[in-house]
C-alpha cells in the first residue's frame, strides 16, 4: 500500500479503512479519537498509518492521539486545526454528541476539520447496528449556535474513500467542519477501492498554504482566534458573515445521484445504506413495470432541494423518504417538494436494516394509492 | 497588588519611545514588555490576573520566546487574555485548554505553548484534560490561577473553595460532607510520571510575586528542554468575590488559603536529576 | 449474475477469512464484490458469519436475504440458517461438527468431514480453507487459479510456508469435492473457467 501509493490499484478495504487511507492521502496529519464501536477499525488504522508515515516522512510530523474522551479529541483537533494542520476525528453517535461542543467552537472560529460519524441505533447508548438516527443532529449544526456543517453521506466503500478525500478540501475551502456520515454497515463492509490518479498522496509541504493559521507571531503582528464576541452588533456581524458563507455552500455544494428518475412517476429518496437497499427495491419495481426512481442525496447539508423540487415539477405523483430512523430527512424532502406532491415516509429504527423486498412492497402499496399519505 | 499594577503602568510612558527600546527594556523592568498589548485591563482592582499576565509576558519576552508562542486562554475571567498578550492565542472551550494546547504542541513541537486557566476551568470541568495531558507528558506549560471561586460567573463555589468559605452557591460555607474538600492540584498531579515540574506559589507580597515569576520562568525552561508537562499553581486574590479589600485578600491568602494549599515545589525532574546524578533518568 | 454466499460458524473457525479470501479473489476477477461481516456482540457470543455478494454489475444491497450458497461450519449455524438459503440454492456443511442432516429438500447440499480431513492432513486449523476449496468446486464463483493467487497475495506478508499450507488446503478441499461431485462436472468447470484469470494475469498483476 505504501509502496505503490501513487499508482491506481484495486484494494479490498473495509469502509473505515477506506476513510483512514483517504484521509492520509488527503494530507491529514493529525488524528485524535476515542474508542467506540462500530468505528474502532478507523483509529486502529490511523494509529498504524500515522506511525508508518512517521517512519517514511518524519518531516510530515504525523500525529495520532488516543484521547481520554471524545470531548478532548475534538478540542485537540481545534488546536491542531488552528495551526493549519489537516485533522480528523471519528466516533459513533454517543461520542459525536460529546464532540458537538468542539464542532460548534470550530464552526464559530471558522476552523476546518473532518469529523466521521459511523452512526448507530439510539437514543442513549442504543446499539451498534446500522442506523441513520443522527440525521437531524448532523444536518442542523449539531451543537449550540447558529451554524451548519457540510455533511457527506457515502453509500459505497469507494465513496467512503472519495468523499473523505474531498472532505478535507471542502473543510479548507470554506473553513468549516465537514462531517462524513456512515453506519455500522458502511464501516464494516469491504469492497474494492481504487485511489485514482487525481487522488494522490498529498504531502503537507505541497498543500495550499493557510495564511490565517497560528504558528507564532514571527515577522507579523500577533493574532488570535476566539468565538466569544461580547458586543451584540459585533456578534451579529460575525453571524452574518458565517451565514453568507453557508449560503454560498448551499448554492454551490448540494449533490445527489439520480437513478431512473427521468420517466419516474414515483421517486424514493434515500441516502447511505438505505439508498443501497432502495436501489435494489427500485430495480425490483422497475422489473415489474412500475415507473419508480431514486434520488440519493450525497450531501445531506446542503440538501439537494433544488433537484428534488425540479423532479416534483416534472409531475411526479408521490415521493417516499426511506430512512433507517423514524422520519428525519422526510422533513427536508417535504421542504423541497413544497406541497407539489404527497411525501410518504417509510423507515425502520433501532438498527434493523429493511430488506429490498420489504421496501419494494411498501413502494408498490403507495404506488397504487399515491395521494394517501401515511 | 493594586500598587504593583499602578507602578507598572506609570513607568513605560517615558521609556518606551526611546531608540533601541527592546534592548534597553531589560534595564527597566517596570516598562511594558513587548509581549503585552497597550490595553487597559478589565480586571477588578486587587485581582491577581493582571500581575500574572505581566509575569508570563515578561518571561516570554526575556527568554525570547514570543515569536514562537501560542497561548490558550480559558473560559473565565481571563478569557479576554488575547486582548492583553501580544502573542498568538486561541480561545479554548471551557475546561479544554489542555486538550487544545496538546493539539497545537503536537503539530508544532518547537512552539512554546501555554494554557492559562482558572480553578473551575482546570480543576472541575477540565480535570480529565488536565490529568491526561499531564500523564501523557505533553510539553506544555499550564499557568493555573487558583482564587478559590468562579470569578466571572459571580463567585460560585469552585473545586478549590476552602472549607467553610461562603460563596453564592455555598451560602452556609463549604461543607466537606456535601461539597467535598478543596482539590489540591499539585498534590494530585505529582504522582504522574509525565509531569516534569509542579510549583505552587502565592501572589500576596512582592516576594511572592518574584517567586511566582521565577516559577513561571522555570516552567517555560522545562518546556523548552522538552522534559515534560509543567504547571505553576498561583494562589491569587479575588477581592470582589471574596468580599474583601485587596489588603484583606492578601492576608487571607497568607492565613487561610496557603494552609490548605501549601506553597512549594511539588515536582522538579531537573532537581531529581541533580540529586541522583542523572543516572536514574530514563 | 449475482451470487450471495453466507459463511457461518463459530468465532475462531476462520469463517471471516473464508469470506475475505472469496471476496479478494472475486475482486481479482474484476467482479463487483461486497464483503459484510456480522459484527458486534454476537461475534463473541458464539456464531460468526459473513456474507459475500459477487456480481458482474453494481451491487445495490449488501444485505444477503435468501443467499444462494451457505457454508456451515458448526451445529448452531446449521440450526440458525436452515431456512435462510433460497430454494434451489446450495449448502456446504462441515459434517465433522454438525449432527444430522439439513431438513430441506429444495436445496442441494454437500457434507464434507472437513475437520477430520484437515486433522488427518496435519492441522485442524485448515478445515476452513478445505471447505473454501470445496465451495469453489461446488459453486464456481471464482476459479481455483484466482483463489490460489489470491491466497498468495493475502498472506504475502507472512512467510512462504503459510501460503503453501493454505494453498494446499484449498486445493485438497477442491479435489475432495470435485471427486465427490463427479469428476466430469468438476473438470468441465475447471477448464471452462480457466482462460479468464490467465488473461488478466498477463494484463494486470
Amino acid at each position: 500500500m505504501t509502496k505503490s501509493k501513487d499508482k491506481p490499484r484495486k484494494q479490498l478495504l473495509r469502509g473505515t479503512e477506506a476513510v483512514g487511507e483517504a484521509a492520509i492521502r488527503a494530507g491529514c496529519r493529525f488524528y485524535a479519537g476515542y474508542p467506540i464501536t462500530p468505528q474502532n477499525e478507523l483509529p486502529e488504522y490511523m494509529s498504524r498509518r500515522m506511525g508508518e508515515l512517521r517512519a517514511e516522512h518524519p518531516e510530515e510530523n504525523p500525529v495520532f492521539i488516543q484521547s481520554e474522551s471524545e470531548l478532548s479529541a475534538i478540542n485537540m483537533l481545534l488546536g491542531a486545526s488552528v495551526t493549519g494542520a489537516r485533522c480528523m476525528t471519528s466516533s459513533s453517535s454517543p461520542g459525536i454528541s460529546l464532540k458537538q461542543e468542539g464542532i460548534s467552537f470550530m464552526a464559530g472560529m471558522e476552523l476546518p476539520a473532518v469529523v466521521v460519524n459511523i452512526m448507530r441505533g439510539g437514543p442513549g447508548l442504543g446499539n451498534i447496528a446500522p442506523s441513520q438516527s443522527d440525521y437531524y443532529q448532523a444536518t442542523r449544526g449539531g451543537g449550540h449556535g447558529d451554524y451548519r456543517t457540510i455533511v457527506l453521506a457515502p453509500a459505497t466503500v469507494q465513496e467512503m474513500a472519495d468523499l473523505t478525500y474531498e472532505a478535507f478540501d471542502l473543510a479548507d475551502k470554506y473553513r468549516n467542519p465537514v462531517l462524513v456520515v456512515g453506519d455500522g454497515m458502511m464501516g464494516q463492509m469491504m469492497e474494492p477501492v481504487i485511489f485514482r490518479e487525481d487522488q494522490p498522496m498529498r504531502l503537507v509541504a505541497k498543500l495550499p498554504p493557510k495564511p490565517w493559521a497560528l504558528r507564532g507571531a514571527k515577522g507579523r503582528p500577533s493574532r488570535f482566534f476566539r468565538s466569544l464576541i461580547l458586543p451584540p452588533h459585533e456578534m451579529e456581524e460575525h453571524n452574518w458573515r458565517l451565514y453568507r458563507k453557508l449560503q454560498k455552500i448551499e448554492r454551490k455544494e448540494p449533490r445527489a445521484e439520480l437513478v431512473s428518475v427521468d420517466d419516474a412517476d414515483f421517486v424514493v429518496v434515500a441516502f447511505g445504506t438505505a439508498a443501497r437497499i432502495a436501489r435494489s427495491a427500485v430495480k425490483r419495481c422497475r422489473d415489474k413495470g412500475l415507473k419508480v426512481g431514486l434520488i440519493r442525496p450525497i450531501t445531506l447539508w446542503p440538501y439537494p432541494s433544488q433537484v428534488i423540487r425540479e423532479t416534483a415539477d416534472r409531475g411526479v405523483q408521490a415521493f417516499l423518504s426511506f430512512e433507517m430512523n423514524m422520519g428525519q430527512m422526510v422533513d427536508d424532502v417535504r421542504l423541497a417538494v413544497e406541497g407539489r406532491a404527497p411525501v410518504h415516509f417509510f423507515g425502520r429504527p433501532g438498527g434493523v436494516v429493511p430488506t429490498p423486498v420489504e421496501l419494494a412492497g411498501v413502494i408498490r402499496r403507495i404506488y397504487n394509492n399515491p395521494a394517501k399519505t401515511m | 497588588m493594586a500598587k504593583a499594577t499602578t507602578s507598572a503602568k506609570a513607568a513605560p510612558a517615558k521609556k518606551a519611545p526611546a531608540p533601541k527600546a527592546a534592548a534597553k527594556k531589560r534595564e527597566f523592568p517596570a516598562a511594558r514588555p513587548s509581549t503585552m498589548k497597550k490595553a487597559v485591563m478589565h480586571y477588578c482592582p486587587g485581582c491577581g490576573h493582571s500581575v500574572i499576565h505581566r509575569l508570563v509576558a515578561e518571561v516570554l519576552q526575556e527568554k525570547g520566546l514570543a515569536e514562537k508562542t501560542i497561548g490558550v486562554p480559558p473560559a473565565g475571567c481571563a478569557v479576554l487574555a488575547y486582548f492583553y498578550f501580544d502573542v498568538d492565542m486561541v480561545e479554548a472551550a471551557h475546561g479544554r485548554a489542555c486538550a487544545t494546547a496538546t493539539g497545537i504542541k503536537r503539530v508544532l513541537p518547537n512552539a512554546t505553548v501555554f494554557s492559562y486557566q482558572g480553578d473551575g476551568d482546570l480543576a472541575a470541568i477540565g480535570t480529565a484534560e488536565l490529568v491526561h495531558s499531564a500523564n501523557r507528558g505533553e510539553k506544555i506549560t499550564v499557568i493555573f490561577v487558583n482564587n478559590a471561586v468562579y470569578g466571572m460567573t459571580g463567585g460560585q463555589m469552585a473545586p478549590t473553595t476552602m472549607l467553610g468559605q461562603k460563596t453564592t452557591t455555598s451560602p452556609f460555607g463549604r461543607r466537606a460532607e456535601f461539597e467535598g474538600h478543596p482539590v489540591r492540584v499539585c498534590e494530585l498531579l505529582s504522582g504522574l510520571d509525565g509531569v516534569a515540574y509542579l510549583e505552587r506559589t502565592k501572589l500576596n507580597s512582592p516576594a511572592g510575586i518574584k517567586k511566582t515569576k521565577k516559577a513561571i520562568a522555570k516552567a517555560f525552561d522545562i518546556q523548552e528542554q522538552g522534559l515534560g508537562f509543567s504547571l505553576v499553581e498561583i494562589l491569587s486574590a479575588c477581592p470582589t468575590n471574596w468580599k474583601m479589600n485587596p489588603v484583606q485578600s492578601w492576608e487571607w491568602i497568607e492565613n487561610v488559603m496557603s494552609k490548605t494549599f501549601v506553597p512549594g515545589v511539588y515536582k522538579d525532574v531537573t532537581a531529581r536529576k541533580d540529586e541522583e546524578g542523572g543516572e536514574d533518568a530514563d | 449474475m449475482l451470487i450471495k454466499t453466507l459463511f457461518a460458524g463459530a468465532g475462531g473457525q476462520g469463517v471471516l477469512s473464508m469470506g475475505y479470501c472469496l471476496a479478494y479473489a472475486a475482486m481479482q476477477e474484476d467482479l463487483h464484490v461486497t464483503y459484510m461481516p456480522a459484527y458486534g456482540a454476537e461475534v463473541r457470543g458464539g456464531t460468526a458469519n459473513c456474507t459475500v455478494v459477487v456480481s458482474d454489475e453494481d451491487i445495490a444491497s449488501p444485505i444477503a436475504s435468501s443467499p444462494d450458497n451457505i457454508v456451515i461450519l458448526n451445529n448452531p449455524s446449521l440450526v440458525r440458517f436452515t431456512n435462510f438459503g433460497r430454494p434451489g440454492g446450495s449448502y456446504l456443511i462441515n459434517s465433522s461438527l454438525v449432527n444430522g442432516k439439513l431438513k430441506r429438500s429444495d436445496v442441494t447440499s454437500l457434507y464434507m468431514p472437513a475437520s477430520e480431513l484437515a486433522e488427518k492432513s496435519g492441522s485442524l486449523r485448515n478445515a476452513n480453507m478445505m471447505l473454501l476449496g470445496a465451495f469453489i468446486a461446488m459453486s464456481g464463483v471464482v476459479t481455483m487459479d484466482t483463489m490460489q493467487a489470491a491466497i498468495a497475495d493475502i498472506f504475502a506478508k507472512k512467510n512462504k510456508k503459510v501460503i503453501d499450507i493454505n494453498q494446499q488446503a484449498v486445493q485438497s478441499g477442491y479435489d475432495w469435492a470435485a471427486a465427490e461431485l463427479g469428476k466430469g462436472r468438476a473438470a468441465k468447470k475447471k477448464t471452462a473457467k480457466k482462460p479468464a484469470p490467465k488473461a488478466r494475469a498477463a494484463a494486470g498483476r
Side-chain angles (χ1 to χ4, degrees):
Chain A
M1 194 180 307
T2 41
K3 282 274 170 345
S4 58
K5 60 190 171 221
D6 286 335
K7 208 173 80 185
R9 200 194 117 210
K10 219 191 262 185
Q11 307 172 50
L12 189 61
L13 291 182
R14 205 180 282 274
T16 43
E17 293 170 344
V19 168
E21 188 56 27
I24 298 274
R25 295 175 75 96
C28 172
R29 295 296 176 265
F30 187 94
Y31 175 95
Y34 183 85
I36 180 169
T37 312
Q39 61 85 55
N40 293 317
E41 294 80 5
L42 181 47
E44 285 166 8
Y45 190 84
M46 293 309 278
S47 66
R48 194 175 80 240
R49 288 290 282 128
M50 288 294 194
E52 287 170 2
L53 198 62
R54 184 171 280 279
E56 217 175 314
H57 291 286
E59 75 286 355
E60 291 275 298
N61 188 29
V63 179
F64 169 88
I65 304 179
Q66 181 171 324
S67 62
E68 62 273 18
S69 69
E70 284 93 347
L71 273 171
S72 186
I74 194 77
N75 285 288
M76 285 176 184
L77 246 67
L78 193 154
S81 180
V82 87
T83 68
R86 288 194 155 184
C87 54
M88 179 171 85
T89 185
S90 64
S91 193
S92 178
S93 308
I96 295 294
S97 292
L98 290 172
K99 287 189 200 294
Q100 295 303 339
E101 175 190 77
I103 295 172
S104 168
F105 274 68
M106 280 194 269
M109 293 187 195
E110 297 191 79
L111 291 175
V114 175
V115 179
V116 180
N117 182 5
I118 303 298
M119 290 185 276
R120 52 197 252 171
L125 211 45
N127 61 21
I128 56 176
S131 174
Q132 299 180 329
S133 56
D134 301 344
Y135 180 87
Y136 277 149
Q137 186 198 50
T139 57
R140 266 61 184 167
H144 61 282
D146 209 353
Y147 74 95
R148 302 288 176 108
T149 57
I150 297 174
V151 185
L152 306 173
T156 63
V157 176
Q158 179 68 56
E159 219 178 26
M160 291 281 264
D162 295 345
L163 292 180
T164 302
Y165 193 89
E166 209 184 331
F168 286 91
D169 288 332
L170 286 169
D172 280 357
K173 182 176 175 187
Y174 294 107
R175 285 181 57 184
N176 205 64
V178 174
L179 262 62
V180 178
V181 297
D183 56 39
M185 186 171 290
M186 294 298 312
Q188 296 290 326
M189 195 166 69
M190 287 182 128
E191 288 180 331
V193 173
I194 295 176
F195 287 100
R196 301 184 309 265
E197 273 171 42
D198 61 341
Q199 298 167 317
M201 172 72 95
R202 301 178 77 176
L203 298 180
V204 172
K206 290 185 178 166
L207 287 172
K210 296 181 180 176
W212 49 263
L214 298 187
R215 302 176 80 89
K218 190 178 168 81
R220 60 158 171 82
S222 67
R223 284 200 290 261
F224 58 83
F225 275 73
R226 58 169 174 162
S227 59
L228 177 82
I229 302 168
L230 290 171
H233 64 279
E234 281 182 36
M235 189 74 226
E236 185 188 29
E237 206 172 291
H238 180 65
N239 274 342
W240 267 105
R241 205 177 68 245
L242 295 180
Y243 173 72
R244 281 192 290 270
K245 178 173 82 178
L246 296 178
Q247 269 193 320
K248 190 175 167 197
I249 298 172
E250 274 194 293
R251 276 197 312 275
K252 292 198 158 180
E253 303 298 343
R255 246 181 275 178
E257 185 195 10
L258 275 60
V259 182
S260 323
V261 168
D262 285 346
D263 66 335
D265 44 35
F266 184 96
V267 169
V268 181
V269 186
F271 71 94
T273 296
R276 292 181 71 128
I277 295 156
R279 192 190 288 263
S280 286
V282 163
K283 193 161 177 285
R284 277 171 177 270
C285 292
R286 282 267 165 186
D287 289 348
K288 294 213 162 85
L290 277 62
K291 285 188 175 174
V292 180
L294 168 70
I295 295 180
R296 177 175 75 89
I298 296 169
T299 52
L300 301 185
W301 194 92
Y303 197 70
S305 306
Q306 186 71 22
V307 69
I308 293 177
R309 194 168 302 139
E310 285 164 8
T311 308
D313 279 337
R314 282 207 301 267
V316 167
Q317 297 291 304
F319 287 84
L320 170 69
S321 182
F322 167 55
E323 305 168 49
M324 281 147 64
N325 59 46
M326 280 318 285
Q328 300 186 22
M329 184 179 73
V330 63
D331 291 2
D332 285 334
V333 180
R334 288 201 174 111
L335 286 169
V337 169
E338 283 183 326
R340 288 168 172 83
V343 176
H344 301 259
F345 169 75
F346 174 66
R348 298 280 308 261
V352 175
V353 183
T355 63
V357 178
E358 188 181 356
L359 177 62
V362 173
I363 293 171
R364 274 198 298 276
R365 190 152 42 84
I366 304 169
Y367 191 86
N368 294 324
N369 195 358
K372 194 181 161 199
T373 46
M374 279 184 286
Chain B
M1 189 177 324
K3 265 181 201 164
T5 318
T6 351
S7 64
K9 275 182 186 157
K14 284 176 195 165
K15 295 296 168 191
K20 292 180 187 173
K24 288 205 168 186
K25 255 173 197 166
R26 292 176 65 94
E27 296 164 36
F28 299 93
R32 178 172 55 87
S34 60
T35 43
M36 295 212 84
K37 289 174 180 165
K38 207 170 179 180
V40 177
M41 292 188 187
H42 70 285
Y43 299 114
C44 305
C47 170
H49 276 306
S50 42
V51 179
I52 300 167
H53 280 17
R54 192 188 160 99
L55 297 180
V56 173
E58 282 180 0
V59 167
L60 292 176
Q61 186 197 344
E62 286 161 17
K63 294 191 179 296
L65 302 172
E67 289 187 336
K68 67 185 197 83
T69 294
I70 300 175
V72 187
C77 284
V79 64
L80 301 177
Y82 40 70
F83 287 145
Y84 311 133
F85 282 102
D86 201 359
V87 298
D88 278 2
M89 291 197 114
V90 57
E91 192 179 277
H94 194 29
R96 318 284 173 241
C98 282
T100 300
T102 296
I104 297 167
K105 184 72 181 191
R106 291 292 190 102
V107 179
L108 304 174
N110 297 322
T112 303
V113 180
F114 75 94
S115 78
Y116 186 107
Q117 301 177 257
D119 38 56
D121 190 76
L122 179 120
I125 193 168
T127 317
E129 287 77 5
L130 168 73
V131 169
H132 288 277
S133 302
N135 190 53
R136 286 191 304 265
E138 297 296 345
K139 293 160 190 71
I140 58 173
T141 298
V142 176
I143 307 297
F144 168 33
V145 181
N146 178 358
N147 61 10
V149 282
Y150 281 80
M152 193 188 220
T153 48
Q156 293 84 5
M157 188 186 70
T160 52
T161 290
M162 307 297 299
L163 285 179
Q165 184 184 344
K166 286 180 185 172
T167 70
T168 55
T169 52
S170 59
F172 311 108
R174 182 179 190 158
R175 301 155 298 181
E177 63 269 47
F178 295 116
E179 287 90 34
H181 292 267
V183 176
R184 295 187 182 97
V185 168
C186 285
E187 288 85 337
L188 186 73
L189 296 181
S190 60
L192 299 176
D193 290 341
V195 176
Y197 183 68
L198 290 170
E199 182 167 355
R200 181 185 289 132
T201 65
K202 45 185 184 182
L203 199 76
N204 65 345
S205 66
I209 290 169
K210 275 188 176 169
K211 202 156 188 188
T212 300
K213 184 175 173 183
K214 239 178 109 184
I216 292 169
K218 174 87 179 178
F220 277 105
D221 283 344
I222 296 271
Q223 178 178 173
E224 291 311 301
Q225 290 163 46
L227 297 176
F229 183 88
S230 56
L231 177 144
V232 181
E233 173 177 350
I234 303 158
L235 305 183
S236 173
C238 182
T240 302
N241 286 305
W242 293 356
K243 301 185 175 28
M244 298 177 190
N245 68 33
V247 176
Q248 290 166 332
S249 296
W250 280 23
E251 286 166 5
W252 196 73
I253 290 174
E254 190 64 35
N255 301 327
V256 182
M257 259 189 110
S258 55
K259 298 293 182 276
T260 294
F261 300 110
V262 180
V265 176
Y266 283 81
K267 186 153 185 188
D268 182 353
V269 290
T270 58
R272 196 179 61 189
K273 269 186 198 162
D274 293 344
E275 281 162 25
E276 296 168 8
E279 284 174 11
D280 200 33
D282 49 8
Chain C
M1 159 224 185
L2 177 79
I3 302 167
K4 299 179 275 188
T5 306
L6 173 83
F7 297 88
Q13 277 190 299
V15 171
L16 302 184
S17 355
M18 293 168 80
Y20 181 80
C21 288
L22 176 61
Y24 193 96
M27 175 178 83
Q28 299 298 56
E29 292 205 357
D30 278 338
L31 293 162
H32 293 265
V33 60
T34 291
Y35 162 89
M36 181 71 212
Y39 65 92
E42 66 176 351
V43 172
R44 289 154 190 101
T47 62
N49 69 76
C50 65
T51 305
V52 178
V53 183
V54 178
S55 175
D56 50 9
E57 53 186 75
D58 274 346
I59 297 165
S61 169
I63 305 284
S65 44
S66 56
D68 307 280
N69 311 306
I70 297 190
V71 182
I72 300 282
L73 275 78
N74 70 349
N75 216 37
S77 302
L78 180 71
V79 173
R80 186 171 167 196
F81 294 112
T82 288
N83 296 317
F84 210 63
R86 78 162 164 81
S90 72
Y91 278 73
L92 171 63
I93 295 166
N94 178 11
S95 56
S96 307
L97 296 176
V98 168
N99 314 319
K101 301 271 175 189
L102 186 70
K103 292 185 182 69
R104 276 181 73 168
S105 53
D106 60 342
V107 291
T108 55
S109 49
L110 177 63
Y111 294 85
M112 180 189 194
S115 304
E116 287 160 42
L117 290 170
E119 209 162 7
K120 258 182 230 164
S121 74
S123 171
L124 182 60
R125 292 181 56 188
N126 295 332
N128 65 332
M129 284 308 198
M130 295 187 73
L131 278 161
L132 184 61
F135 170 74
I136 292 166
M138 242 182 122
S139 66
V141 175
V142 295
T143 67
M144 269 303 278
D145 288 359
T146 317
M147 181 53 76
Q148 296 290 25
I151 288 170
D153 257 21
I154 292 165
F155 297 105
K157 277 186 185 163
K158 309 223 164 140
N159 60 38
K160 180 81 172 61
K161 207 178 151 196
V162 176
I163 297 174
D164 289 346
I165 289 171
N166 282 288
Q167 285 181 333
Q168 281 160 18
V170 168
Q171 191 61 50
S172 69
Y174 182 91
D175 294 343
W176 182 92
E180 200 77 3
L181 292 164
K183 275 168 194 161
R185 190 186 142 200
K188 202 175 137 195
K189 232 171 211 160
K190 203 172 180 180
T191 46
K193 283 264 179 179
K194 235 170 188 174
K198 271 193 177 166
R200 191 169 37 264
R205 299 173 299 113

